[in-house]
Amino acid sequence: MTNASSGVEIFDVRRIRFVEKAWHPISEPNRLTMERAWSEAVQENPNLFDGPTVACMNVERKEPGSLVLSWARAAYRYRMLRQISDAPSVSSVFVCVAQPTEDGRLLVARMSSSTSTPGRWQLPGGSMEPPLRGESLDVALLRRHAARELTEELGIDTLPESLSLWVVTRGARGSVGFVFRAPALPAEFLHQRFAALVSSEREQGRASELDRIALIDSEAELSCLAGEQVDYLQPIVRRNFEFSASSGSA
């Protein structure tokens, strides 16, 4: 299914195969341009971290319910290549979590000023990191990463096995997102845990990745959120409330 307004594709998947490939060669002029752009970005925002990431090389839909994701090891600074017209395309792989409340609302979050996308609304989550030696990139690893993002961004300790892979998205830039659903939690608990996390980060002299959360009860409420929204947010929010209505639960 493709959302016409956002250009985001949503896949219902049962089987995913992950294939590691080598990264595209980068010409020396483009590499120098990338390094210069990264240096300028870090000067503007010293909180940026050039950590290892998973880049999406290709996605193939072999048959209904089955995807093959080709990926490569990259660094966060490679995203600067997006500013260069003749450079290799850089698409990311990320995880995010649909966190419902017990009263049927859905949590959305705003990125803080310390991040590369300040003020942007999205689901809690983040870019995927490559597997360590001896590990494989698979759904189990994605699930563990999604659980860690809930802890780091919301202060919620959720068991990885309680997260279920729901859908996979592909945005206009080709970035692929693995969307997990979490068990419903009380709204008050979510607010308390997030407030405690932000306070703890501040006491330690750090800025939290998120600076605000909102619990919405419909797709229409997205229009009340001031600021940019990640491309997958509207179609996933719509899918969430359709799912809740059809299942008769949050």
Side-chain angles (χ1 to χ4, degrees), residues 11 38 41 54 58 67-68 77 126 162-163 183 241:
F11 304 104
W38 175 254
V54 171
N58 189 39
L67 289 179
V68 177
R77 71 173 60 200
S162 69
L163 300 177
F241 289 112

PDB file of all heavy atoms in Angstrom, residues 11 38 41 54 58 67-68 77 126 162-163 183 241:
ATOM      1  N   PHE A  11       4.249  -2.032   4.016  1.00  0.00           N
ATOM      2  CA  PHE A  11       4.227  -3.451   3.693  1.00  0.00           C
ATOM      3  C   PHE A  11       3.795  -4.263   4.913  1.00  0.00           C
ATOM      4  O   PHE A  11       4.327  -4.080   6.016  1.00  0.00           O
ATOM      5  CB  PHE A  11       5.616  -3.938   3.264  1.00  0.00           C
ATOM      6  CG  PHE A  11       6.216  -3.176   2.113  1.00  0.00           C
ATOM      7  CD1 PHE A  11       7.220  -2.249   2.337  1.00  0.00           C
ATOM      8  CD2 PHE A  11       5.779  -3.394   0.807  1.00  0.00           C
ATOM      9  CE1 PHE A  11       7.790  -1.547   1.287  1.00  0.00           C
ATOM     10  CE2 PHE A  11       6.343  -2.697  -0.249  1.00  0.00           C
ATOM     11  CZ  PHE A  11       7.348  -1.777  -0.015  1.00  0.00           C
ATOM     12  N   TRP A  38      29.974  17.565   6.869  1.00  0.00           N
ATOM     13  CA  TRP A  38      29.857  16.990   8.215  1.00  0.00           C
ATOM     14  C   TRP A  38      30.518  17.896   9.252  1.00  0.00           C
ATOM     15  O   TRP A  38      29.969  18.118  10.330  1.00  0.00           O
ATOM     16  CB  TRP A  38      30.470  15.598   8.255  1.00  0.00           C
ATOM     17  CG  TRP A  38      30.482  15.000   9.629  1.00  0.00           C
ATOM     18  CD1 TRP A  38      31.554  14.838  10.453  1.00  0.00           C
ATOM     19  CD2 TRP A  38      29.342  14.545  10.368  1.00  0.00           C
ATOM     20  NE1 TRP A  38      31.166  14.287  11.647  1.00  0.00           N
ATOM     21  CE2 TRP A  38      29.813  14.099  11.621  1.00  0.00           C
ATOM     22  CE3 TRP A  38      27.985  14.454  10.088  1.00  0.00           C
ATOM     23  CZ2 TRP A  38      28.962  13.579  12.589  1.00  0.00           C
ATOM     24  CZ3 TRP A  38      27.134  13.932  11.052  1.00  0.00           C
ATOM     25  CH2 TRP A  38      27.618  13.507  12.286  1.00  0.00           C
ATOM     26  N   ALA A  41      28.247  20.708   9.962  1.00  0.00           N
ATOM     27  CA  ALA A  41      27.076  20.276  10.731  1.00  0.00           C
ATOM     28  C   ALA A  41      27.428  20.104  12.205  1.00  0.00           C
ATOM     29  O   ALA A  41      26.648  20.469  13.090  1.00  0.00           O
ATOM     30  CB  ALA A  41      26.528  18.975  10.156  1.00  0.00           C
ATOM     31  N   VAL A  54      23.157   1.359   9.661  1.00  0.00           N
ATOM     32  CA  VAL A  54      22.805   0.432   8.590  1.00  0.00           C
ATOM     33  C   VAL A  54      22.188   1.241   7.452  1.00  0.00           C
ATOM     34  O   VAL A  54      21.223   1.978   7.663  1.00  0.00           O
ATOM     35  CB  VAL A  54      21.804  -0.627   9.080  1.00  0.00           C
ATOM     36  CG1 VAL A  54      21.281  -1.460   7.908  1.00  0.00           C
ATOM     37  CG2 VAL A  54      22.459  -1.534  10.120  1.00  0.00           C
ATOM     38  N   ASN A  58      18.843  -1.815  -1.086  1.00  0.00           N
ATOM     39  CA  ASN A  58      17.743  -2.175  -1.978  1.00  0.00           C
ATOM     40  C   ASN A  58      16.688  -2.942  -1.184  1.00  0.00           C
ATOM     41  O   ASN A  58      16.995  -3.589  -0.183  1.00  0.00           O
ATOM     42  CB  ASN A  58      18.243  -3.051  -3.134  1.00  0.00           C
ATOM     43  CG  ASN A  58      17.181  -3.267  -4.196  1.00  0.00           C
ATOM     44  OD1 ASN A  58      16.425  -2.355  -4.520  1.00  0.00           O
ATOM     45  ND2 ASN A  58      17.109  -4.473  -4.723  1.00  0.00           N
ATOM     46  N   LEU A  67       9.822  -9.869   2.016  1.00  0.00           N
ATOM     47  CA  LEU A  67      10.745  -8.822   1.590  1.00  0.00           C
ATOM     48  C   LEU A  67      12.181  -9.322   1.676  1.00  0.00           C
ATOM     49  O   LEU A  67      12.524 -10.131   2.538  1.00  0.00           O
ATOM     50  CB  LEU A  67      10.618  -7.580   2.473  1.00  0.00           C
ATOM     51  CG  LEU A  67       9.384  -6.694   2.374  1.00  0.00           C
ATOM     52  CD1 LEU A  67       9.489  -5.543   3.363  1.00  0.00           C
ATOM     53  CD2 LEU A  67       9.201  -6.165   0.960  1.00  0.00           C
ATOM     54  N   VAL A  68      13.022  -8.804   0.780  1.00  0.00           N
ATOM     55  CA  VAL A  68      14.464  -9.013   0.858  1.00  0.00           C
ATOM     56  C   VAL A  68      15.107  -7.630   0.997  1.00  0.00           C
ATOM     57  O   VAL A  68      14.935  -6.775   0.120  1.00  0.00           O
ATOM     58  CB  VAL A  68      15.015  -9.721  -0.390  1.00  0.00           C
ATOM     59  CG1 VAL A  68      16.530  -9.853  -0.286  1.00  0.00           C
ATOM     60  CG2 VAL A  68      14.367 -11.085  -0.561  1.00  0.00           C
ATOM     61  N   ARG A  77      27.761  10.133   9.108  1.00  0.00           N
ATOM     62  CA  ARG A  77      28.163  11.257   8.261  1.00  0.00           C
ATOM     63  C   ARG A  77      27.848  11.009   6.786  1.00  0.00           C
ATOM     64  O   ARG A  77      27.799  11.962   5.995  1.00  0.00           O
ATOM     65  CB  ARG A  77      29.653  11.550   8.440  1.00  0.00           C
ATOM     66  CG  ARG A  77      30.590  10.512   7.855  1.00  0.00           C
ATOM     67  CD  ARG A  77      32.025  10.971   7.939  1.00  0.00           C
ATOM     68  NE  ARG A  77      32.424  11.210   9.315  1.00  0.00           N
ATOM     69  CZ  ARG A  77      33.467  11.966   9.679  1.00  0.00           C
ATOM     70  NH1 ARG A  77      34.192  12.559   8.755  1.00  0.00           N
ATOM     71  NH2 ARG A  77      33.782  12.123  10.945  1.00  0.00           N
ATOM     72  N   GLY A 126      14.776   5.029  16.301  1.00  0.00           N
ATOM     73  CA  GLY A 126      16.020   5.587  15.805  1.00  0.00           C
ATOM     74  C   GLY A 126      16.664   4.723  14.743  1.00  0.00           C
ATOM     75  O   GLY A 126      16.194   3.613  14.430  1.00  0.00           O
ATOM     76  N   SER A 162       8.125  -8.678  23.990  1.00  0.00           N
ATOM     77  CA  SER A 162       6.750  -8.162  24.050  1.00  0.00           C
ATOM     78  C   SER A 162       6.434  -7.244  22.871  1.00  0.00           C
ATOM     79  O   SER A 162       5.281  -6.833  22.698  1.00  0.00           O
ATOM     80  CB  SER A 162       6.522  -7.410  25.366  1.00  0.00           C
ATOM     81  OG  SER A 162       7.260  -6.204  25.399  1.00  0.00           O
ATOM     82  N   LEU A 163       7.447  -6.914  22.069  1.00  0.00           N
ATOM     83  CA  LEU A 163       7.242  -6.078  20.885  1.00  0.00           C
ATOM     84  C   LEU A 163       6.985  -6.977  19.677  1.00  0.00           C
ATOM     85  O   LEU A 163       7.733  -7.916  19.423  1.00  0.00           O
ATOM     86  CB  LEU A 163       8.468  -5.204  20.620  1.00  0.00           C
ATOM     87  CG  LEU A 163       8.867  -4.221  21.722  1.00  0.00           C
ATOM     88  CD1 LEU A 163      10.139  -3.479  21.324  1.00  0.00           C
ATOM     89  CD2 LEU A 163       7.749  -3.240  22.006  1.00  0.00           C
ATOM     90  N   PRO A 183       2.937  -3.283  24.022  1.00  0.00           N
ATOM     91  CA  PRO A 183       1.730  -3.458  24.839  1.00  0.00           C
ATOM     92  C   PRO A 183       1.217  -2.107  25.335  1.00  0.00           C
ATOM     93  O   PRO A 183       2.005  -1.182  25.587  1.00  0.00           O
ATOM     94  CB  PRO A 183       2.223  -4.319  26.016  1.00  0.00           C
ATOM     95  CG  PRO A 183       3.491  -4.950  25.541  1.00  0.00           C
ATOM     96  CD  PRO A 183       4.105  -3.967  24.589  1.00  0.00           C
ATOM     97  N   PHE A 241      -5.128   3.583  14.043  1.00  0.00           N
ATOM     98  CA  PHE A 241      -6.507   3.717  14.493  1.00  0.00           C
ATOM     99  C   PHE A 241      -7.453   2.817  13.685  1.00  0.00           C
ATOM    100  O   PHE A 241      -8.474   2.372  14.207  1.00  0.00           O
ATOM    101  CB  PHE A 241      -6.936   5.178  14.478  1.00  0.00           C
ATOM    102  CG  PHE A 241      -6.254   5.975  15.563  1.00  0.00           C
ATOM    103  CD1 PHE A 241      -5.318   6.954  15.253  1.00  0.00           C
ATOM    104  CD2 PHE A 241      -6.509   5.711  16.896  1.00  0.00           C
ATOM    105  CE1 PHE A 241      -4.665   7.665  16.257  1.00  0.00           C
ATOM    106  CE2 PHE A 241      -5.861   6.416  17.905  1.00  0.00           C
ATOM    107  CZ  PHE A 241      -4.938   7.392  17.585  1.00  0.00           C
TER     108      PHE A 241
END
